[in-house]
Amino acid sequence: MARPPTNPPSTTADPAPVRRVLRLFRPYRARIAVVTAIIVFSAVIALASPFLLRELLDHAIPDRDVTLVTLIALGMIAVAVITNTLGVLQTWLSNIVGQTLMHDLRVSVYAHLQKQSLGFFARTRTGEVQSRIANDIGGMQSVVTNTATSIAQNATTVVATVVALFLLDWKLALFSLVILPVFVRIARRIGNERRRISGTRQRLLGELSVQIEESLSVSGILLGKTTGSSSVLTEQFARRSDEVADVELAAMMAGKWRMASMQISFAVMPALVYWFAGITIGNGSALTVGTLVAFTTLQTQLFRPTMQLLNTGVEVQSSLALFGRVFEYLDLPIDIAEPVQPKALDRNDVRGDVRFDHVDFAYAGANQSTLHNITLDVPAGSTLALVGSTGSGKTTLGYLAARLHDPTQGRVSIDGIDLRDLATTTVADLVGVVSQETYLFHATIRENLRFAKPEATDAEIEHAAKIAQIHDFVSALDDGYDTLVGERGYRFSGGEKQRLAIARTVLRNPPILVLDEATSALDNATERALQVALDELMKDRTTILIAHRLSTVRAADRIAVLDHGRVVESGTHEQLLTSAGRYAELLRSSQDDPAEPDPSRVAA
């Protein structure tokens, strides 16, 4: 099979527009409105404390008014109880919004990737995809969970506090707030720096995830041990991990000195206010001790949310790089598009006629086509065998029949209906594929088989396994059908995994089959036994049989010989032998292979 280009997708993205990020919150605006109302109400209530404190210092205590002192104390207690209770409620609601948004975003990315063609995943490293879903979306969790409410809460507190400061003393307010614009500018510069570092950080984390996924899989460990390269892989991992550690340190230290200078300024501001008040009180000012204490109390309350607001702005700037990487995947064009109005095709009414009509196909980014102007008919219930040397396009052509790819030109149809006019679920229901690259989940045998048909009974599972000649083997295992297959089915041989894959397809009972080297991993004795089961399975079904071992295609109704993506011969086994063309040449080559049975000795 011709391979598509292996260039990985971009691992960096332009920062996401803020408007697009805000659109993510639109479905939750009702809940956000409730949270905002709670925040505003809580901020207004909290402002009562400094005014109560001024009343206490200026009147209640000097006048020895016990009743007023008691009422003010109760008021302060009430403010604390109400604001903290509302804080818990606000945190609960905002986390519901944030976690729901995270869930929806993860599912959206996963569902969008599920719609991509095989070509996308052939060009993209699995670890990179995992990193986008786990690291990038996971890195946004604190932003989407806390940031929106933090901005609203702190902004409301800042505005309300500034208003209260001016109500207490406008001169002190102007004096204490004059430095804030400088801080905003510093925070913006820090945010830009962290955003740049964040993009680099996620790229390096993606590369680290790729190596973990590739080198710590069963196949990767086996390759490392058999080639003596484990130490080399460890060195590569250590180098990448060191790069991640460096960029993590840079991310944590970015702007720390600037932020420290801001915090020092905030810390000395109350002393400056006392100094300013001290030189103005004696000049006929109406400023009282109670007002001064209330003002500095408010000022302290102002600095905390202001710093949090500036820090939040920095975090948002950093997170834009993460949003950009996630949006890059969400913006990927879908190669296998669903039709706007899919045609209905009842499985019970399907005859199973398959036609390739002037089909060309080229992988994305390839310089030339893999298939060229192929026209083939596969009548209902017949078997078409595709043969040819490696890279001739056999598997690609077979996968077009299952709509794992769409042709670049021409069309592939079932019963005269273009596959592109059918829902992908309909095509999957009609066409069963047994691939040469068998994949099993790290689950039990029963769960792996039931994946093809979730409602299947145990009796149906065992019947499918019997057809695939695997039932006796499974029954002899200690846990039978509840045996764990291990990662990618590593506990079983290639032949056993392939028979499980065949049983999985038998369970689906599709009217059309694509068998891609379905017996390639079997020894000759097992292959002959399984061939009987396959012959039974293929009865009254349309079958496209892709094979290197020509012993499996002798009985096909028609054999198409592919060479460099073109059909160079077509006919029955006997016709092609008589013509002494490419098929006869392949047959002679296979007879030179001691592992390949002589087709002339295989019963038709």
Side-chain angles (χ1 to χ4, degrees):
M1 171 179 143
R3 296 296 180 191
T6 56
N7 296 331
S10 169
T11 56
T12 58
D14 292 332
V18 175
R19 288 184 180 178
R20 185 170 184 184
V21 176
L22 292 176
R23 283 201 297 270
L24 294 174
F25 292 89
R26 280 185 182 175
Y28 321 103
R29 52 184 176 268
R31 289 181 180 177
I32 292 175
V34 174
V35 172
T36 303
I38 293 174
I39 289 171
V40 172
F41 183 68
S42 180
V44 172
I45 292 294
L47 289 179
S49 290
F51 289 93
L52 291 173
L53 179 60
R54 182 181 65 175
E55 190 67 18
L56 181 71
L57 295 177
D58 285 347
H59 298 98
I61 293 178
D63 296 343
R64 300 183 184 274
D65 189 337
V66 177
T67 302
L68 184 58
V69 169
T70 303
L71 291 174
I72 291 175
L74 291 174
M76 289 179 171
I77 294 172
V79 168
V81 172
I82 293 172
T83 54
N84 282 280
T85 301
L86 291 176
V88 173
L89 179 60
Q90 172 256 309
T91 301
W92 177 63
L93 290 176
S94 61
N95 273 276
I96 289 177
V97 172
Q99 292 301 328
T100 305
L101 189 151
M102 289 285 294
H103 163 75
D104 291 346
L105 196 57
R106 278 194 298 264
V107 172
S108 295
V109 173
Y110 184 87
H112 191 73
L113 290 174
Q114 285 284 344
K115 297 176 184 177
Q116 297 299 317
S117 68
L118 286 181
F120 167 79
F121 294 98
R123 299 188 303 271
T124 308
R125 299 173 297 181
T126 304
E128 169 66 20
V129 175
Q130 293 173 344
S131 179
R132 297 284 176 114
I133 295 177
N135 294 338
D136 294 352
I137 296 181
M140 295 186 296
Q141 178 163 334
S142 63
V143 176
V144 300
T145 303
N146 302 320
T147 299
T149 52
S150 178
I151 290 175
Q153 185 175 21
N154 290 312
T156 302
T157 302
V158 167
V159 171
T161 304
V162 168
V163 171
L165 288 175
F166 276 94
L167 291 176
L168 285 171
D169 190 286
W170 67 270
K171 291 180 181 179
L172 286 180
L174 287 177
F175 177 77
S176 63
L177 298 176
V178 71
I179 200 171
L180 279 182
V182 177
F183 294 160
V184 172
R185 182 176 178 83
I186 292 174
R188 182 172 296 178
R189 293 183 61 183
I190 296 172
N192 290 333
E193 183 179 357
R194 287 194 180 177
R195 181 172 63 186
R196 177 184 57 79
I197 295 173
S198 180
T200 303
R201 173 180 176 272
Q202 294 308 119
R203 175 181 60 80
L204 292 175
L205 283 174
E207 293 178 357
L208 199 66
S209 295
V210 167
Q211 180 167 356
I212 292 172
E213 192 277 332
E214 291 178 346
S215 63
L216 293 184
S217 65
V218 171
S219 301
I221 289 292
L222 180 62
L223 178 63
K225 290 183 178 298
T226 55
T227 60
S229 301
S230 297
S231 60
V232 175
L233 291 172
T234 301
E235 290 174 4
Q236 290 177 351
F237 183 83
R239 189 163 54 250
R240 286 196 169 102
S241 179
D242 187 55
E243 291 175 346
V244 170
D246 287 343
V247 79
E248 290 280 12
L249 179 60
M252 289 186 288
M253 293 304 298
K256 284 296 182 182
W257 285 111
R258 296 190 186 100
M259 296 299 286
S261 65
M262 294 165 59
Q263 290 173 337
I264 291 172
S265 299
F266 281 153
V268 302
M269 280 304 295
L272 294 177
V273 167
Y274 285 129
W275 169 79
F276 184 79
I279 64 176
T280 58
I281 284 180
N283 298 324
S285 172
L287 185 65
T288 64
V289 173
T291 300
L292 182 59
V293 173
F295 188 94
T296 53
T297 301
L298 274 176
Q299 188 181 46
T300 303
Q301 292 180 5
L302 172 66
F303 292 154
R304 181 182 56 82
T306 300
M307 284 298 297
Q308 289 180 351
L309 198 57
L310 294 176
N311 275 317
T312 300
V314 170
E315 293 299 324
V316 169
Q317 291 276 24
S318 302
S319 68
L320 288 179
L322 305 184
F323 280 106
R325 286 168 57 86
V326 172
F327 288 153
E328 183 185 2
Y329 265 20
L330 286 175
D331 293 339
L332 286 171
I334 297 175
D335 298 333
I336 307 297
E338 290 283 357
V340 178
Q341 293 183 326
K343 292 184 179 180
L345 190 58
D346 192 330
R347 172 186 180 130
N348 297 324
D349 297 331
V350 171
R351 299 188 307 276
D353 292 311
V354 177
R355 177 174 172 79
F356 301 91
D357 191 2
H358 299 287
V359 167
D360 281 23
F361 177 77
Y363 286 102
N367 295 325
Q368 59 184 9
S369 295
T370 302
L371 301 174
H372 308 272
N373 195 30
I374 291 180
T375 297
L376 289 170
D377 284 307
V378 192
S382 68
T383 298
L384 169 70
L386 301 176
V387 301
S389 58
T390 300
S392 60
K394 306 183 301 296
T395 297
T396 301
L397 183 61
Y399 282 2
L400 287 175
R403 212 192 169 200
L404 298 177
H405 306 290
D406 275 341
T408 309
Q409 293 184 16
R411 72 173 200 152
V412 182
S413 61
I414 295 177
D415 292 352
I417 301 176
D418 193 322
L419 295 188
R420 288 170 291 201
D421 294 329
L422 296 172
T424 53
T425 52
T426 300
V427 177
D429 188 46
L430 298 178
V431 184
V433 178
V434 179
S435 170
Q436 58 182 317
E437 297 180 3
T438 303
Y439 186 88
L440 297 174
F441 294 104
H442 184 53
T444 65
I445 294 174
R446 191 187 313 277
E447 289 169 332
N448 268 280
L449 296 181
R450 191 167 274 148
F451 181 77
K453 186 180 179 182
E455 71 278 9
T457 64
D458 289 346
E460 289 175 321
I461 289 174
E462 293 180 11
H463 177 68
K466 289 176 182 177
I467 293 177
Q469 304 290 304
I470 193 67
H471 173 71
D472 292 342
F473 167 78
V474 174
S475 299
L477 297 172
D478 291 341
D479 295 324
Y481 283 87
D482 294 320
T483 301
L484 282 173
V485 301
E487 184 186 357
R488 298 179 183 270
Y490 191 72
R491 293 184 60 183
F492 299 128
S493 69
E496 291 158 357
K497 288 191 291 185
Q498 214 152 19
R499 280 180 281 171
L500 286 173
I502 291 171
R504 196 160 53 190
T505 301
V506 170
L507 197 61
R508 288 184 52 215
N509 194 29
I512 301 170
L513 296 173
V514 175
L515 304 179
D516 182 9
E517 304 287 355
T519 60
S520 63
L522 307 180
D523 56 50
N524 292 334
T526 305
E527 179 186 350
R528 284 192 292 271
L530 184 58
Q531 193 63 49
V532 175
L534 286 175
D535 289 342
E536 184 67 27
L537 175 65
M538 291 159 57
K539 280 184 180 179
D540 302 321
R541 299 179 198 271
T542 307
T543 304
I544 298 174
L545 182 63
I546 304 164
H548 279 296
R549 299 174 69 168
L550 301 185
S551 60
T552 63
V553 304
R554 177 183 175 92
D557 298 297
R558 188 178 182 187
I559 301 171
V561 184
L562 274 71
D563 189 24
H564 292 91
R566 301 180 187 275
V567 175
V568 294
E569 284 185 308
S570 178
T572 64
H573 171 74
E574 289 76 13
Q575 290 171 341
L576 294 176
L577 278 181
T578 302
S579 66
R582 178 63 175 153
Y583 179 77
E585 180 183 339
L586 290 170
L587 191 59
R588 285 193 298 272
S589 299
S590 69
Q591 290 172 354
D592 292 336
D593 182 357
E596 177 71 29
D598 185 345
S600 64
R601 298 181 182 177
V602 179

